[in-house]
Amino acid sequence: MARILLVEDNEMNRDMLSRRLARKGFEVLLAVTGTEGIEMAKTHQPDLILMDMSLPEVDGWEASRLLRADQATRHIPIIALTAHAMSGDREKALQAGCADYDTKPVEFARLVTKIEALLNE
Amino acid sequence: MTPISLDVILISLRLSGLLSLGVAYSAWRRRPAAGSTEFALLMSAAAYWSLTYAAGLNTSGMENKLILNQVTYIAIAYIPVLWLFFSLRYTGTAKLSRKQMLLLLLMPTLTTIIIWTNNTHQFFWSNISLQTEGVITSVANTRETWFWIHTTYSYICLITGAYFLLRSLGAGNSSLYRGQAIALAIGVFAPWIANATYIFELFPIRLLDPTPFGFTLTGLAISWAIYRFRLLDILPAARDAVLASMTDGVIVLDARNRIVEINPSAEKFLRDGDSSLRQLIGADASLVLSQWPHVVERFQDVTHAYATAIPFQVGNRTRYVDVRISPIRDAAGKITGRVLVTSDVTSQKLTADLQKAKETAEASSLAKSAFLASMSHELRTPLNHIIGYSELLQEEVEANRHQDLYRDDLQKIHHSGKHLLDIITQILELARLEARMVALNKETFPLSDLVEDVITQIQPLLEKNNSRLGLKLPDDELQIHADLAKTRQIIYNVLHNAVRFTEQGRVDVEVGAQGGMAFIRVQDSGPGIPPERLATIFEAFANPESASRKKTEGLGLGLATAQQFARLMNGEIGVVSKVGRGSTFTIQLPLGVKPKE
């Protein structure tokens, strides 16, 4: 069973997304801040990370860069989630080392397609 | 009467000569001022006259006296022409060409030659002898034809010069210049009177020609006028021209607040304000300005002031005027009048006011858009939760496969939430556009592929409305350099709009290029757009779905957004429509590939 780390500071988004992912059969790990996300990625070695970009403390952009720079976590694909699609966000996310990118509100079916595509690689 | 000694006469003449030289020197130093050079030459000649004349009187013997007399006459011959030159130049009446000057100098030159050769022809003088009367021994002679020609010519020059000088004074027409006028009048007439007394033998000292004294007096009077009134600082004609052509108003008031000088600009302003005004020169300023009591009250006795944007009611509009007041002082420093300089700053003030209003409006518009942008974002978050949780519940209901009733209701909540989210997303997009928070992400891509892609996207709606779509693509591939996502949005919004309103009809899409622009033409056989709506079709919030177009949900922001995007990329969307016939939207975007860097 694939293990997904969801890094998201908004409680309802976190709850909603994690429950729906769980229903789809994923094992979901939760982190609230960027720092916590990095920590959990190292210790729990998830198969994939869903990273909100506007996080307190270390934001999603920085956290992704750090994860990519670390030998222990660089192999884990990251899907960046941004609150609104600013032009250039996609490029920014790819530059930060994210494998893919999606916008919130999450269109669940589309997100699942992206997750599965990455997991099957 | 005690006869005056020769020494006194000689000293007087030499002193007169030195004074003239001094005047000539000081005028020479002011050469850049118009007329100064001519004046210096004139006064040099006058000095020469005095000094050589004194030498002639001081010498004895027929031969010496005759030669010195001829030497002196050189100055006498040239002075009238130099006087004329000075007058013409100083008053700005005429700027003589070199040729004209040489022509005028021909007569004195001829006179000089004739005098120096008089012995052979006696055209100028005859019966030359020495005569003595009192202390003076001088050359006596009978005046012949050329003497009178010379004298006539000299007087014509002197009178012409005097005329222009006096006329330039008259043009000033102001009591302020009285001292100057007197000085100049003395300057003009002194040599005449002196010369006339000599020619008609009226001078008390017989045989003495007082004309050199007259010219010295001229020099002193005119230079006094120069130093006192700085006459040579600026050409009077030029000064008048400056005053007349100034767009600023100039009013000179005397100590009793009467107008002694006013320029056309000020006069026009006053007459615009009160057409019943009569003669302004000599009028009491407070009466002339009585229609603006606030001005009279404020500046009644003010001698130094600078006030900006004073409102003047002129006719039915307000004009704003800067007023500068400076005192005029006499030699003793006593204030004898005031100069008011006014400049109309109405247009500057109005422009400034407008600019301010514009900036305020723009700032508030930006603030509004920024507020809307953040507000929309705030609205979206809870809405996402509503949608997300309703989706979650639907999934759970479906998993349990029991409570079908809940599922329907949940679907309704979900549907409404999604719709509301669409609206907010559109508003957010527009608000961000208006708040200038949108950046372009340009790339070069083939247009036809994109159009085909969007058509695929729109297919379900097309089928739902039972309409058909025709597509015409260009033979050559069209490349455009633009923001791909925004171009897609533009095409989608326009096409979606056309398909949405076309039931059981046709939508034709044509892609092509014309005049450096790529175009996508979307022609539908829909109901068409009434003219009153067509005018505002691209304006946000201006097109609420009307009752007659009960059609599907929509906020009418799609076209506004598309137009904003198109313009952001230097493109434009145009529309032609006829009710009952359908509409044609044409999207134009600049052709071309990425510019070389």
Side-chain angles (χ1 to χ4, degrees):
Chain A
M1 191 193 292
R3 179 186 286 181
I4 295 177
L5 170 63
L6 172 62
V7 191
E8 163 69 82
D9 64 322
N10 183 293
E11 197 196 330
M12 282 210 260
N13 279 341
R14 203 167 56 232
D15 172 59
M16 192 167 71
L17 206 49
S18 63
R19 279 168 65 188
R20 298 179 79 180
L21 287 168
R23 184 185 314 287
K24 284 284 171 190
F26 297 110
E27 181 189 344
V28 184
L29 299 170
L30 295 175
V32 179
T33 67
T35 321
E36 198 185 336
I38 295 167
E39 208 51 50
M40 290 188 67
K42 280 184 195 163
T43 50
H44 292 85
Q45 291 291 314
D47 300 303
L48 186 138
I49 302 172
L50 284 176
M51 177 87 74
D52 180 29
M53 288 292 122
S54 48
L55 291 171
E57 296 170 39
V58 180
D59 69 16
W61 312 107
E62 183 59 21
S64 301
R65 256 187 297 277
L66 291 171
L67 286 168
R68 296 300 287 180
D70 194 320
Q71 201 64 42
T73 54
R74 69 181 320 156
H75 61 280
I76 309 172
I78 304 169
I79 295 180
L81 299 174
T82 61
H84 41 80
M86 292 290 278
S87 96
D89 270 3
R90 182 187 169 81
E91 285 65 29
K92 223 170 132 189
L94 297 183
Q95 246 169 35
C98 298
D100 210 334
Y101 157 94
D102 211 330
T103 56
K104 296 200 290 185
V106 166
E107 206 172 287
F108 192 67
R110 186 176 67 197
L111 181 63
V112 169
T113 313
K114 285 183 177 175
I115 291 170
E116 279 169 349
L118 280 172
L119 288 175
N120 290 335
E121 263 175 21
Chain B
M1 181 169 125
T2 327
I4 297 165
S5 77
L6 184 61
D7 278 346
V8 171
I9 293 168
L10 291 179
I11 287 170
S12 304
L13 277 171
R14 285 170 188 149
L15 200 65
S16 166
L18 288 177
L19 277 172
S20 293
L21 265 184
V23 170
Y25 175 69
S26 79
W28 184 252
R29 276 178 37 198
R30 294 169 173 240
R31 280 190 311 287
S36 272
T37 310
E38 289 81 357
F39 190 58
L41 284 172
L42 175 69
M43 291 321 293
S44 301
Y48 173 94
W49 187 349
S50 294
L51 296 174
T52 58
Y53 188 48
L57 287 178
N58 197 28
T59 196
S60 54
M62 177 87 164
E63 199 68 17
N64 290 343
K65 281 210 186 275
L66 270 180
I67 288 181
L68 279 168
N69 192 30
Q70 287 169 350
V71 166
T72 302
Y73 245 88
I74 299 175
I76 297 171
Y78 282 101
I79 277 176
V81 180
L82 293 175
W83 165 260
L84 179 62
F85 286 174
F86 161 67
S87 167
L88 291 179
R89 191 90 172 84
Y90 170 65
T91 58
T93 308
K95 189 159 166 37
L96 297 176
S97 67
R98 194 166 286 271
K99 213 171 159 185
Q100 288 169 318
M101 285 167 89
L102 287 174
L103 212 63
L104 283 166
L105 286 167
L106 195 64
M107 273 299 286
T109 308
L110 262 170
T111 300
T112 307
I113 292 168
I114 285 168
I115 287 169
W116 282 80
T117 57
N118 190 62
N119 284 344
T120 55
H121 47 65
Q122 304 206 325
F123 272 7
F124 205 82
W125 293 304
S126 61
N127 305 323
I128 300 166
S129 60
L130 284 187
Q131 57 176 349
T132 304
E133 183 108 29
V135 293
I136 309 263
T137 302
S138 70
V139 180
N141 47 42
T142 308
R143 287 150 181 173
E144 294 297 339
T145 322
W146 197 267
F147 176 86
W148 295 111
I149 292 173
H150 151 74
T151 303
T152 309
Y153 182 73
S154 296
Y155 268 79
I156 290 171
C157 289
L158 290 171
I159 289 167
T160 313
Y163 167 73
F164 286 123
L165 269 178
L166 294 175
R167 197 183 67 163
S168 82
L169 276 182
N173 191 24
S174 156
S175 61
L176 272 179
Y177 304 136
R178 193 171 298 142
Q180 174 201 336
I182 291 168
L184 274 201
I186 291 171
V188 169
F189 292 114
W192 292 24
I193 293 164
N195 192 242
T197 58
Y198 176 62
I199 287 181
F200 299 109
E201 301 183 350
L202 298 168
F203 196 65
I205 305 171
R206 297 268 298 129
L207 300 187
L208 182 70
D209 182 355
T211 318
F213 293 120
F215 271 105
T216 302
L217 203 56
T218 298
L220 290 174
I222 290 180
S223 63
W224 183 74
I226 291 165
Y227 296 135
R228 175 65 183 82
F229 296 106
R230 300 177 182 281
L231 280 191
L232 288 187
D233 285 358
I234 182 165
L235 214 61
R239 187 199 54 214
D240 289 346
V242 167
L243 215 57
S245 65
M246 272 170 80
T247 48
D248 287 354
V250 178
I251 302 173
V252 183
L253 303 178
D254 67 9
R256 279 179 288 173
N257 260 341
R258 286 177 315 193
I259 297 176
V260 290
E261 177 96 89
I262 184 163
N263 77 338
S265 179
E267 185 165 349
K268 184 176 183 315
F269 187 89
L270 292 177
R271 292 198 190 280
D272 284 351
D274 182 358
S275 51
S276 68
L277 286 176
R278 301 182 73 81
Q279 178 66 29
L280 288 175
I281 301 270
D284 189 313
S286 49
L287 284 176
V288 169
L289 296 168
S290 58
Q291 53 188 318
W292 302 300
H294 63 290
V295 177
V296 175
E297 189 173 329
R298 179 159 173 190
F299 299 114
Q300 185 87 55
D301 301 304
V302 177
T303 53
H304 296 76
Y306 181 56
T308 59
I310 310 285
F312 281 76
Q313 195 65 34
V314 176
N316 51 12
R317 60 192 205 106
T318 304
R319 281 161 78 172
Y320 295 90
V321 176
D322 285 359
V323 178
R324 190 188 291 276
I325 299 179
S326 324
I328 301 168
R329 297 175 190 277
D330 63 11
K334 194 170 142 279
I335 292 175
T336 58
R338 293 185 286 164
V339 181
L340 277 71
V341 180
T342 60
S343 40
D344 193 325
V345 294
T346 308
S347 60
Q348 287 99 308
K349 179 156 167 59
L350 293 183
T351 310
D353 289 354
L354 265 180
Q355 184 65 27
K356 216 167 159 187
K358 182 170 169 277
E359 277 163 14
T360 312
E362 276 177 357
S364 79
S365 163
L366 269 177
K368 182 205 77 182
S369 297
F371 167 77
L372 210 55
S374 65
M375 196 59 215
S376 302
H377 179 62
E378 293 305 308
L379 286 172
R380 255 158 58 124
T381 308
L383 205 50
N384 280 330
H385 297 152
I386 295 170
I387 295 165
Y389 277 105
S390 69
E391 280 177 9
L392 185 66
L393 285 172
Q394 280 181 60
E395 286 161 14
E396 281 176 359
V397 168
E398 269 161 31
N400 294 336
R401 296 188 187 282
H402 290 306
Q403 297 107 328
D404 282 359
L405 230 115
Y406 294 160
R407 191 176 61 187
D408 281 354
D409 291 348
L410 278 169
Q411 254 169 8
K412 282 173 194 153
I413 296 169
H414 181 238
H415 181 80
S416 293
K418 279 209 86 133
H419 176 51
L420 203 50
L421 185 61
D422 276 349
I423 294 169
I424 290 168
T425 303
Q426 285 187 51
I427 293 172
L428 177 61
E429 205 146 74
L430 256 180
R432 278 169 52 214
L433 260 174
E434 281 171 10
R436 292 165 207 167
M437 289 161 67
V438 175
L440 286 178
N441 196 4
K442 287 193 176 184
E443 55 191 293
T444 304
F445 56 88
L447 187 57
S448 299
D449 293 2
L450 181 64
V451 173
E452 284 181 305
D453 201 23
V454 175
I455 288 171
T456 316
Q457 230 180 315
I458 220 90
Q459 206 67 40
L461 183 61
L462 202 65
E463 281 162 15
K464 192 181 144 205
N465 279 355
N466 277 321
S467 291
R468 283 178 304 142
L469 186 135
L471 176 63
K472 192 179 161 199
L473 294 175
D475 298 334
D476 302 324
E477 191 168 83
L478 280 182
Q479 298 277 349
I480 72 167
H481 186 69
D483 186 306
L484 177 61
K486 291 188 177 59
T487 309
R488 173 192 288 276
Q489 187 80 56
I490 296 168
I491 300 168
Y492 179 86
N493 287 8
V494 171
L495 195 57
H496 185 265
N497 185 69
V499 173
R500 191 156 63 107
F501 291 115
T502 306
E503 277 176 285
Q504 294 175 342
R506 250 191 98 81
V507 176
D508 283 291
V509 180
E510 186 190 347
V511 180
Q514 199 172 31
M517 302 288 271
F519 69 82
I520 303 137
R521 185 169 295 135
V522 178
Q523 188 171 2
D524 68 55
S525 63
I529 307 156
E532 68 274 11
R533 249 190 89 164
L534 199 59
T536 57
I537 192 88
F538 294 113
E539 281 173 28
F541 308 110
N543 303 300
E545 299 291 302
S546 66
S548 64
R549 312 187 129 217
K550 36 131 184 130
K551 265 325 246 182
T552 50
E553 301 147 337
L555 195 62
L557 288 179
L559 289 177
T561 307
Q563 181 70 290
Q564 291 262 28
F565 277 163
R567 287 186 179 158
L568 201 62
M569 295 189 285
N570 300 319
E572 181 77 24
I573 305 174
V575 59
V576 190
S577 183
K578 197 163 181 184
V579 175
R581 289 274 185 82
S583 312
T584 304
F585 285 83
T586 307
I587 305 163
Q588 282 189 297
L589 289 169
L591 268 177
V593 295
K594 185 179 184 177
K596 296 250 183 315
E597 276 159 31

